[in-house]
């Protein structure tokens, strides 16, 4: 499959990591997963100019117009699946710093639980992490899929979207790959070194809605509550309107007045 890549972008990413660009793929996560299942070792970035079946979190589609960034990083870290709680937040922080490298105003970028990135309250990036485990519950492989709106902001989404171009920043997929791959390397090293507390603290300093009322939608319920903090296991602790605390592990967070 890598033979059919249009360009080898390995010189753009940190040494020891390979990167291949395809002008179009169904999904970079699907491609990276299929390579992992065939024994590809990584670390490897799979990048695409567009995706015909981009995957979002919770079974959603990810609209994938040419000009935006679509990339998946395949890794085989020697970690237990139970060590992954801080991973989504490390990835979100890496994307945030890559956006700062591109010239986005630092104070305008926030991280929305679990791993969306917002600029001025609108979604600019989403992350889909997929993995497989060995029988002993250690990780077999990890695929970290990242989408970033560089030139288009799809409006058919649950959350208002924005792109860098709307903020006056023009950056190519290639340039963004360079920034993002460097930041991912740094933050993933922090995660591999088990610096979860530092990751949680950095994320919490730029977390969207902390201390504020938000609407939460899980697969089974919708409720409002005041976001308190991250739990040690990466869950989001919310104080319900009746004063009880509840921790959620999968779901979406919206402004409190969202219909
Ligand atoms: O729902 C979300 O917010 C997560 C979206 C993740 C999209 C990226 S684009 C690159 C990678 N390949 C995919 O099919 N999905 C992820």
């Amino acid at each position: 499959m890598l033979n059919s890549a249009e360009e080898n972008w390995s010189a753009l990413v940190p040494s020891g990591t390979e990167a291949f660009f395809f002008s179009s793929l169904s999904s970079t996560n699907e491609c990276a997963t299929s390579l992992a299942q065939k024994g590809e070792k990584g670390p490897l970035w799979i990048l695409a100019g567009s995706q015909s079946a981009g995957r979002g979190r919770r079974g959603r589609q990810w609209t994938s117009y040419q000009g935006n960034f679509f990339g998946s990083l395949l890794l085989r870290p020697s970690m237990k699946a139970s060590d992954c709680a801080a991973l989504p937040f490390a990835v979100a922080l890496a994307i945030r710093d890559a956006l700062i490298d591109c010239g986005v105003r630092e104070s305008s970028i926030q991280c929305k639980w679990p791993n969306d990135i917002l600029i001025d309250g609108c979604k600019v990036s989403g992350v889909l992490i997929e993995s497989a485990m060995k029988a002993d519950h250690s990780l077999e492989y990890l695929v970290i899929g990242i989408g970033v709106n560089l030139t288009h902001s799809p409006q058919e989404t649950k959350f208002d979207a924005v792109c860098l171009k709307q903020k006056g920043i023009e950056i190519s997929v290639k340039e963004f790959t360079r920034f993002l791959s460097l930041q991912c390397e740094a933050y993933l090293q922090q995660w591999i070194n088990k610096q979860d507390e530092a990751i949680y603290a950095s994320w919490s300093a730029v977390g969207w809605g902390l201390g504020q009322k938000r609407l939460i939608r899980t697969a089974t319920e919708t409720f409002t509550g005041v976001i308190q903090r991250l739990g040690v296991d990466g869950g989001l602790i919310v104080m319900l309107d009746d004063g009880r605390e509840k921790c959620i592990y999968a779901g979406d967070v919206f402004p409190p007045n969202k219909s």
Side-chain angles (χ1 to χ4, degrees):
M1 184 182 269
L2 288 175
N3 297 337
S4 62
E6 269 98 86
E7 291 173 40
N8 183 336
W9 282 10
S10 302
L12 292 177
V13 301
S15 67
T17 301
E18 288 187 298
F20 291 94
F21 174 82
F22 298 79
S23 60
S24 181
L25 283 175
S26 55
S27 149
T28 56
N29 266 36
E30 184 185 307
C31 175
T33 299
S34 140
L35 288 165
Q37 288 166 347
K38 288 179 189 141
E40 175 63 43
K41 290 217 164 20
L44 167 70
W45 278 97
I46 296 294
L47 303 137
S50 65
Q51 299 184 119
S52 54
R55 301 176 183 168
R57 278 196 314 117
R58 308 182 73 207
R60 292 191 283 252
Q61 287 185 337
W62 184 257
T63 307
S64 302
Y65 299 126
Q66 180 126 19
N68 284 350
F69 175 91
F70 314 108
S72 299
L73 176 61
L74 164 63
L75 294 172
R76 293 186 187 270
S78 303
M79 303 281 278
K80 292 197 218 101
S82 58
D83 292 332
C84 285
L87 174 65
F89 310 108
V91 175
L93 289 166
I95 300 168
R96 184 173 184 275
D97 279 10
L99 293 172
I100 295 168
D101 294 339
C102 295
V104 181
R105 190 166 40 87
E106 191 168 343
S107 60
S108 68
I109 317 172
Q110 287 187 297
C111 298
K112 181 167 87 76
W113 188 91
N115 48 17
D116 290 346
I117 311 296
L118 310 182
I119 298 180
D120 293 327
C122 297
K123 181 162 167 170
V124 68
S125 170
V127 179
L128 176 66
I129 299 177
E130 298 181 292
S131 61
M133 256 191 318
K134 295 183 194 162
D136 66 357
H137 297 283
S138 62
L139 281 177
E140 168 85 50
Y141 64 80
L142 199 56
V143 171
I144 301 170
I146 299 174
V148 182
N149 298 337
L150 301 181
T151 55
H152 301 276
S153 49
Q155 293 306 317
E156 62 277 26
T157 55
K158 285 175 173 283
F159 208 91
D160 287 344
V162 73
C163 67
L164 294 198
K165 197 171 173 186
Q166 284 170 287
K167 296 289 168 188
I169 294 171
E170 305 248 355
I171 184 145
S172 67
V173 171
K174 217 172 196 175
E175 280 175 291
F176 191 75
T177 300
R178 189 192 296 278
F179 288 136
L180 182 66
S181 60
L182 265 174
Q183 293 294 353
C184 281
E185 166 130 313
Y187 277 101
L188 291 173
Q189 200 51 57
Q190 220 178 331
W191 168 63
I192 285 166
N193 292 341
K194 299 199 168 52
Q195 295 172 329
D196 291 17
E197 276 186 24
I199 294 168
Y200 287 165
S202 302
W203 189 93
S204 301
V206 293
W208 180 73
L210 265 83
Q212 290 166 8
K213 191 160 182 155
R214 290 290 180 263
L215 178 86
I216 317 281
R217 286 210 177 113
T218 70
T220 52
E221 51 185 346
T222 299
F223 54 89
T224 53
V226 176
I227 310 240
Q228 303 293 302
R229 62 189 176 280
L230 291 178
V232 281
D233 50 8
L236 187 68
I237 300 175
V238 180
M239 185 179 289
L240 303 180
D241 297 340
D242 65 8
R244 279 179 304 134
E245 277 193 349
K246 184 180 178 90
C247 189
I248 58 162
Y249 295 97
D252 290 298
V253 183
F254 296 100
N257 53 359
K258 168 99 180 156
S259 53

